[in-house]
C-alpha cells in the first residue's frame, strides 16, 4: 500500500522562503534593507523632533567655516552650508530608494509585457522585437535619459507625473516633478535585460500542455500571455527585479554625479556624494558618510538578489 | 562557417544605420537647439545660424545629408569646439580612454580569474566567502565613491601616488584600479559559477580518472570550459567602459573621450554625439563579432544557439 499520510504540500513560495532563510548573507541583506527603509521613512521626522534639524535647515549664524566634523550633535557632521548630513542622508535615502523601486516597477511593466509578447508570438515578430532591443542597447542610456528629461521636463511635464510628485512631496510639487520624471526615464532605459529574461522564460514555457489547453478552450492571446505564461515566469522576474534595484540606484547616482540627476535643495545619495567629492581633501566626512551608506545598501540589495536567485531558481544555485 | 561569418557581418550595416538614425532622432526630439542659451538671439542672427548649419532645409534632406556624410566616414566639425573636426577630436581623446580602459580590463581579468578560480576550487571555505564578499563589495561601491576614497588614502594621507594625471606611469595606478574594481568583481563571479559547473561534469571526472594531475585537469580541461561566460562578457564589458571611464576621467582629470561625450550631450553638439556613438558602436560590434568567431571555432556547439 502506498503511504496514506497527509503530507502538507510545501508551496513553491514557502519552499523558496525557507531556502532564503537558510542563506545567512541573504538574511543579512534583507535585514539591512529593511532597517534602511525604516530609517529613511521615519528618520527625518525623529531628527526634526529631537534636534530640530531638517535636510534643508541652514543655521543662521555667519561663521566662516560651517562644515564641522562628526560630533554628538551631528553624528555625520555638517556640509558646506552647515546642514546636518545625517538628516540629508536620510532624506536623500528616500529619493535613492524611491528611484530604485519606482524605476524598477516601470522597467518591470515594460520589460515583462514586451518580452512576453515577443516570446509568445515568436517568429518574425519576435525577431523584429528583439532586434529593436539590440539597437536600443547600443544607444548610450545617458542620451536617452537626457532627451526624456528635456522633452518632458519643465512646462511639458505630463499631469500624471505632477500628481505623483504631489503624492511623494505631500502637495509640494516644485522641483519634485523633475525627480519623478527621472524615475520614469531611468525605468524606461532599464527594461531591456528584463525583456530578454522574460522572453527566454516564455519560449521555454509556451509549448507546454497548459498553454495548449488554454488555447484549445478559446482563451484570448493577451490572456494567455498575462494570466497563464507570465505568472509561471515570475521566479526569474523577481530575481532580476531585485538586481535591477541596485543597478538603477547606481545609474541615478551616476547621473547626479554628472549634475543631470537630482538637483538642490533635494538630495540623493548620489548627489550628496558628488557634492562631497569636491571637498574631499578638507571635509572627507561629506563624501564618506553618504558614500558608505549607499554602498552598504547596494551591497545588501545585491546579496538579497543573489539569495533570491538561489532560493527561487534551484537549478542555478551554487552547488 | 564562412556563411555564418558573412551573415554576421552583413547584419552590422542596417543595424549601424538604425543606431545612427535613432540617435539623430533623439537629439532632434529634444526641444531647443545647440545655439539656444539663456539670452535669446535676434531673429536675423538665428536665421543665419540655421542657414550656416543647414537647419533651414527640410528635415528629410538634413537626415539625408547627415547619413551621406557618415557613410563617407566624415562626421563634420564640432558645433561647440569650433574649427575642430569630430574625427580629430576622437583621434586626440580616445587614446587616453583606451589606455586606462585596456589596462583596467587586463587587471580585472587577472584579479577576477584568480579570485574566481580559487573560490570555485575552495568552495564553501573562508577563501570562497572572502573573495565573493569582496567581489560583491566591488559591485556595490560606486566608482565615483571608490576613486576619491583611494585618492584620500593613497594621495592625501600616505602621499604614495598622485591624485590626478601628471603624465607619469604612477598617475595611472589609481584610475586603473578604480575602473577595474567592478569588472574584476563581475569576472570573479562569472568565473566561479562557470568553474563550479564544469568541475562536476563528466569529462573532468574522466580526466581525473586517467590519472592527470589536478593542476593539469584544471589548466588543460576545466579552465577552457569554465571560462565561456567570461569570454562572452568581454563585449558588454568594453561597452560599459565608456560610461565607466566618464567617472574616472572626471575624478582623475584625464582628458579622455568619455568626458568629451558627456560634454557633447550636454552641449547638444550633434556631429560630435553622432561621431562618438558611431565610433564606440562599431568598436563594440567588432569585438562582439570576434568573440562570436572565437566561439564558432572553439565551441562549435554554441554556434547556432
Amino acid at each position: 500500500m502506498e503511504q496514506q499520510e497527509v503530507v502538507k504540500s510545501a508551496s513553491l513560495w514557502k519552499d523558496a522562503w525557507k531556502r532564503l532563510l537558510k542563506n545567512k548573507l541573504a538574511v543579512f541583506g534583507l535585514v539591512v534593507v529593511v532597517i534602511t527603509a525604516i530609517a529613511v521613512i521615519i528618520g527625518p521626522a525623529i531628527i526634526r523632533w529631537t534636534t530640530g534639524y531638517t535636510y534643508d535647515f541652514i543655521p543662521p549664524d555667519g561663521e566662516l567655516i560651517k562644515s564641522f566634523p562628526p560630533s554628538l550633535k551631528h553624528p555625520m557632521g555638517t556640509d558646506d552650508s552647515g546642514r546636518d548630513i545625517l538628516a540629508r542622508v536620510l532624506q536623500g535615502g528616500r529619493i535613492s530608494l524611491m528611484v530604485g523601486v519606482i524605476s524598477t516597477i516601470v522597467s518591470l511593466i515594460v520589460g515583462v509585457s514586451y518580452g512576453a509578447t515577443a516570446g509568445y508570438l515568436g517568429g518574425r515578430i519576435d525577431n523584429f522585437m528583439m532586434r529593436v532591443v539590440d539597437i536600443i542597447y547600443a544607444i548610450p542610456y545617458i542620451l536617452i535619459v537626457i532627451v526624456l528629461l528635456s522633452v518632458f521636463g519643465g512646462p511639458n511635464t505630463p499631469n500624471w507625473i505632477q500628481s505623483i510628485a504631489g503624492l511623494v512631496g505631500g502637495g509640494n510639487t516644485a522641483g519634485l516633478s523633475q525627480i519623478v520624471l527621472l524615475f520614469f526615464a531611468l525605468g524606461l532605459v532599464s527594461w531591456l535585460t528584463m525583456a530578454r529574461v522574460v522572453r527566454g522564460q516564455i519560449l521555454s514555457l509556451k509549448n507546454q500542455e497548459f498553454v495548449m489547453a488554454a488555447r484549445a478552450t478559446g482563451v484570448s492571446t493577451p490572456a494567455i500571455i498575462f494570466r497563464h505564461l507570465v505568472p509561471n515566469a515570475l521566479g526569474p522576474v523577481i530575481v532580476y527585479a531585485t538586481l535591477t534595484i541596485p543597478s538603477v540606484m547606481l545609474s541615478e547616482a551616476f547621473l547626479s554625479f554628472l549634475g543631470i540627476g537630482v538637483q538642490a535643495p533635494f538630495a540623493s545619495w548620489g548627489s550628496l556624494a558628488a557634492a562631497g567629492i569636491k571637498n574631499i581633501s578638507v571635509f572627507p566626512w561629506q563624501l564618506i558618510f553618504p558614500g558608505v551608506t549607499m554602498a552598504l545598501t547596494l551591497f545588501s540589495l545585491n546579496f538579497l538578489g543573489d539569495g533570491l536567485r538561489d532560493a527561487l531558481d534551484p537549478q542555478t544555485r551554487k552547488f | 562557417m564562412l556563411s555564418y561569418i558573412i551573415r554576421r557581418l552583413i547584419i552590422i550595416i542596417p543595424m549601424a544605420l538604425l543606431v545612427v538614425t535613432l540617435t539623430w532622432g533623439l537629439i532632434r526630439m529634444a526641444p531647443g537647439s545647440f545655439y539656444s542659451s539663456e539670452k535669446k538671439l535676434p531673429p536675423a542672427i538665428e536665421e543665419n545660424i540655421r542657414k550656416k548649419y543647414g537647419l533651414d532645409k527640410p528635415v528629410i534632406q538634413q537626415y539625408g545629408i547627415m547619413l551621406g556624410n557618415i557613410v563617407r566616414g566624415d562626421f563634420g566639425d564640432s558645433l561647440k569646439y569650433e574649427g575642430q573636426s569630430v574625427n580629430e577630436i576622437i583621434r586626440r581623446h580616445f587614446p587616453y580612454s583606451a589606455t586606462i580602459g585596456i589596462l583596467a580590463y587586463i587587471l580585472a581579468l587577472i584579479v577576477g580569474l584568480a579570485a574566481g578560480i580559487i573560490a570555485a576550487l575552495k568552495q564553501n571555505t573562508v577563501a570562497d566567502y572572502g573573495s565573493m564578499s569582496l567581489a560583491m563589495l566591488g559591485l556595490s561601491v560606486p566608482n565615483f565613491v571608490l576613486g576619491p576614497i583611494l585618492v584620500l588614502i593613497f594621495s592625501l594621507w600616505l602621499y604614495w601616488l598622485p591624485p590626478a594625471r601628471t603624465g607619469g606611469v604612477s598617475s595611472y595606478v589609481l584610475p586603473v584600479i578604480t575602473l577595474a574594481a567592478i569588472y574584476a568583481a563581475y569576472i570573479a563571479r562569472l568565473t566561479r559559477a562557470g568553474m563550479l559547473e564544469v568541475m562536476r561534469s563528466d569529462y573532468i571526472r574522466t580526466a581525473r580518472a586517467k590519472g592527470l594531475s589536478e593542476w593539469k585537469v584544471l589548466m588543460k580541461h576545466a579552465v577552457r570550459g569554465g571560462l565561456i561566460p567570461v569570454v562572452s562578457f568581454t563585449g558588454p564589458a568594453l561597452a560599459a567602459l565608456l560610461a565607466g571611464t566618464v567617472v574616472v576621467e572626471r575624478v582623475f582629470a584625464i582628458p579622455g573621450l568619455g568626458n568629451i561625450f558627456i560634454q557633447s550631450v550636454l552641449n547638444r553638439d550633434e556631429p560630435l554625439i553622432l561621431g562618438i556613438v558611431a565610433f564606440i558602436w562599431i568598436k563594440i560590434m567588432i569585438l562582439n563579432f570576434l568573440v562570436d568567431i572565437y566561439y564558432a571555432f572553439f565551441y562549435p556547439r554554441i554556434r547556432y544557439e
Side-chain angles (χ1 to χ4, degrees):
Chain A
M1 266 311 267
E2 266 179 62
Q3 218 174 345
Q4 287 294 309
E5 219 176 317
V6 183
V7 181
K8 214 176 152 213
S9 74
S11 76
L12 173 77
W13 299 104
K14 239 187 215 158
D15 230 32
W17 178 245
K18 255 193 220 151
R19 275 199 293 263
L20 183 69
L21 287 185
K22 268 193 212 141
N23 185 336
K24 284 189 198 109
L25 287 172
V27 172
F28 163 81
L30 184 64
V31 169
V32 173
V33 170
V34 169
I35 292 176
T36 314
I38 294 174
V40 155
I41 292 167
I42 61 170
I46 293 180
I47 293 180
R48 183 189 299 183
W49 185 60
T50 50
T51 62
Y53 297 119
T54 60
Y55 73 98
D56 55 356
F57 173 74
I58 299 174
D61 51 62
E63 284 175 69
L64 213 52
I65 294 174
K66 291 177 173 172
S67 188
F68 295 109
S71 61
L72 268 183
K73 214 165 117 200
H74 301 285
M76 293 186 177
T78 59
D79 73 359
D80 278 352
S81 316
R83 292 177 287 207
D84 182 48
I85 291 183
L86 177 61
R88 285 180 72 69
V89 165
L90 289 173
Q91 188 77 25
R94 284 187 182 181
I95 287 180
S96 287
L97 288 184
M98 262 191 305
V99 166
V101 173
I102 296 182
S103 305
T104 301
I105 291 173
V106 173
S107 83
L108 258 178
I109 294 171
V110 180
V112 169
S113 331
Y114 195 95
T117 309
Y120 182 69
L121 296 181
R124 282 216 184 125
I125 300 175
D126 173 36
N127 217 330
F128 172 76
M129 287 176 84
M130 286 343 266
R131 287 298 83 73
V132 171
V133 168
D134 288 345
I135 290 165
I136 303 179
Y137 250 119
I139 298 175
Y141 78 96
I142 299 183
L143 192 65
I144 303 178
V145 168
I146 290 178
V147 169
L148 285 172
L149 288 181
S150 58
V151 170
F152 295 109
N156 304 328
T157 312
N159 283 330
W160 55 274
I161 294 249
Q162 280 172 7
S163 40
I164 293 178
L167 280 179
V168 171
N172 171 27
T173 60
L176 258 180
S177 34
Q178 194 68 16
I179 295 176
V180 175
L181 193 57
L182 178 71
F183 297 170
F184 281 88
L186 278 172
L188 287 178
V189 293
S190 44
W191 58 273
L192 300 168
T193 315
M194 181 66 85
R196 282 188 176 166
V197 170
V198 173
R199 173 180 170 270
Q201 283 296 309
I202 301 294
L203 278 184
S204 68
L205 286 171
K206 74 172 183 186
N207 290 326
Q208 288 188 15
E209 283 86 352
F210 71 93
V211 181
M212 212 188 297
R215 216 178 303 161
T217 49
V219 181
S220 71
T221 307
I224 292 180
I225 295 177
F226 290 101
R227 302 276 324 251
H228 295 267
L229 284 171
V230 168
N232 279 295
L234 222 50
V237 169
I238 292 176
V239 169
Y240 190 70
T242 327
L243 295 171
T244 306
I245 296 176
S247 88
V248 272
M249 286 172 71
L250 265 182
S251 304
E252 179 277 324
F254 173 62
L255 289 174
S256 295
F257 168 78
L258 296 177
I260 306 166
V262 174
Q263 311 284 343
F266 296 101
S268 71
W269 288 336
S271 72
L272 288 173
I277 290 168
K278 295 192 190 106
N279 299 324
I280 180 136
S281 50
V282 209
F283 311 125
W285 56 89
Q286 288 186 2
L287 167 70
I288 290 173
F289 287 107
V292 168
T293 313
M294 180 175 189
L296 182 67
T297 309
L298 294 177
F299 189 62
S300 312
L301 278 168
N302 278 328
F303 266 132
L304 182 59
D306 259 21
L308 276 175
R309 180 179 53 210
D310 298 347
L312 282 173
D313 193 0
Q315 283 190 330
T316 62
R317 191 155 26 148
K318 20 187 187 180
F319 303 94
Chain B
M1 183 68 211
L2 192 68
S3 80
Y4 174 75
I5 294 179
I6 291 172
R7 254 188 302 142
R8 284 298 318 254
L9 275 177
I10 286 176
I11 195 102
I12 290 184
I13 298 167
M15 282 191 66
L17 286 182
L18 271 169
V19 167
V20 168
T21 303
L22 273 175
T23 310
W24 183 80
L26 273 174
I27 302 168
R28 286 301 170 94
M29 252 170 68
S33 157
F34 71 94
Y35 55 80
S36 51
S37 59
E38 302 284 306
K39 219 174 98 191
K40 196 139 173 37
L41 290 170
I45 295 181
E46 191 178 324
E47 202 173 304
N48 278 339
I49 293 180
R50 292 179 67 84
K51 204 170 249 164
K52 184 182 170 198
Y53 292 103
L55 294 173
D56 53 344
K57 299 193 179 91
V59 176
I60 292 291
Q61 202 182 337
Q62 293 182 37
Y63 174 69
I65 293 172
M66 183 269 305
L67 266 193
N69 286 345
I70 287 181
V71 169
R72 277 184 279 114
D74 171 22
F75 291 96
D77 285 356
S78 158
L79 300 177
K80 208 78 185 180
Y81 308 101
E82 264 182 62
Q84 299 184 38
S85 78
V86 169
N87 293 348
E88 209 179 288
I89 294 176
I90 293 178
R91 208 173 308 129
R92 189 169 54 223
H93 293 281
F94 181 64
Y96 295 106
S97 305
T99 311
I100 49 170
I102 290 168
L103 286 177
Y105 197 68
I106 294 172
L107 178 68
L109 264 183
I110 297 171
V111 175
L113 286 180
I117 291 176
I118 290 171
L121 293 184
K122 310 254 170 198
Q123 195 195 348
N124 295 333
T125 62
V126 178
D128 182 17
Y129 292 138
S131 50
M132 282 306 110
S133 298
L134 258 181
M136 197 60 107
L137 204 62
L139 288 184
S140 309
V141 180
N143 47 8
F144 61 83
V145 172
L146 179 65
I149 286 182
L150 289 178
V151 168
L152 190 66
I153 296 173
F154 293 103
S155 306
L156 301 174
W157 290 346
L158 297 174
Y159 298 109
W160 285 358
L161 293 160
R165 198 181 75 93
T166 54
V169 177
S170 63
S171 64
Y172 278 102
V173 176
L174 290 183
V176 167
I177 293 176
T178 307
L179 193 55
I182 192 162
Y183 299 115
Y186 261 120
I187 292 171
R189 284 160 59 88
L190 288 173
T191 310
R192 178 178 181 276
M195 290 297 286
L196 280 179
E197 206 166 313
V198 164
M199 287 306 271
R200 42 187 51 227
S201 60
D202 293 338
Y203 76 92
I204 294 296
R205 198 183 329 127
T206 313
R208 281 200 182 123
K210 74 178 186 186
L212 287 184
S213 70
E214 197 60 18
W215 178 251
K216 260 202 171 141
V217 171
L218 187 66
M219 284 304 151
K220 289 201 80 159
H221 298 269
V223 163
R224 218 183 122 182
L227 293 191
I228 294 179
V230 177
V231 177
S232 41
F233 178 61
T234 313
L238 287 158
L241 215 84
L242 183 63
T245 50
V246 172
V247 170
V248 174
E249 284 165 18
R250 285 233 168 166
V251 170
F252 295 98
I254 296 165
L257 198 60
N259 233 333
I260 297 284
F261 176 68
I262 298 295
Q263 278 312 317
S264 72
V265 170
L266 296 178
N267 292 338
R268 310 199 32 166
D269 193 340
E270 192 179 298
L272 193 51
I273 300 176
L274 286 176
I276 297 178
V277 168
F279 177 75
I280 298 292
W281 192 79
I282 293 288
K283 285 251 165 348
I284 294 168
M285 277 298 118
I286 293 172
L287 277 166
N288 278 344
F289 176 69
L290 291 178
V291 167
D292 283 348
I293 296 294
Y294 173 82
Y295 274 153
F297 263 116
F298 291 94
Y299 308 98
R301 237 181 343 154
I302 298 178
R303 195 179 308 167
Y304 295 109
E305 269 173 24

